[in-house]
Amino acid sequence: MKMIANHMLHDRTKSNRKPIEVAINNNVNWCRKIADLHGVASEATPVCWLAKEEMPLYFPNLVTVSHYCDVKAIVKDTPKEQKSFFIKDSHSNLNLARHGFSSLFSAHWYILSTRPHRNIELADKETETDCYWVTTRSDLALWGRYWSEETDIKSVYPDEILELDSVRFYLAKNRHSLTGATINIDESSVGIYNLFGDYTLFDIMISRILHDIPELPIVGYGCDEEVANLSRLGFEPLSKLQVWSKK
């Protein structure tokens, strides 16, 4: 796998945010956009982001922002009428087990602060890989089938999401394998989500994303395997997060 060369991106953030703050902010913006698409009211404070109704599959009801959260206040805000409630503990520093929550999984935030030094069109040709940004409903449906055969993509990502300039779905595929991801663009970063498929094509897709959006760092979170595969491309792990559930 070819490495992405270390050429620093231009910092376009309006504040001196730490990388972990940039990653969490992008994730909060991502969750808010999905909530808006599904007509779910939400609110954001310096402490956390909270959805006031049930969120679609795979999305949390609450994302902590501050390192210092009042656990009792967070639990108190949990709607009693909801069948389930998911909390993303962005700093992995809350003990929610004593409040009836179960730990679902832990992961690492990560960041790529470099840009590729390669001709993406030539790279596509050399590997016979077609890497593109999904723009039609039929292609979104195809992306959804590759992403998850068990999930109806429209129940999570309705067709209206294609109308958002700040959200994109990417696919990279050749005769032998494929990979895909969703990205969320805000003023400070490109958030990468739903990364799936053959990790040997990650460099092609990441290079395409940075070719299309050259001046912003990429942030995201993933399991140890995902972080290990992305570290070969110059990604750096940040701190841990934990997702909790209560049913």
Side-chain angles (χ1 to χ4, degrees), residues 124-138:
D124 288 356
K125 185 176 180 181
E126 287 176 345
T127 60
E128 297 183 341
T129 298
D130 185 19
C131 186
Y132 60 95
W133 160 23
V134 168
T135 58
T136 67
R137 295 186 177 191
S138 59

Side-chain angles (χ1 to χ4, degrees), residues 4-10 112-118 210 214:
I4 293 177
N6 290 329
H7 292 276
M8 296 304 295
L9 292 169
H10 300 293
L112 176 68
S113 301
T114 58
R115 63 184 300 167
H117 184 64
R118 66 188 303 186
L210 284 173

Side-chain angles (χ1 to χ4, degrees), residues 3 25 27 40-41 53 55-56 64 85 103 122 153 173 175-176 178 181 187:
M3 292 292 293
N25 182 69
N27 190 249
V40 175
E53 302 171 50
M55 287 287 285
T64 64
F85 196 85
S103 175
L122 179 60
I153 187 173
K173 58 190 178 78
R175 291 178 297 175
H176 309 291
L178 64 87
E187 75 282 357

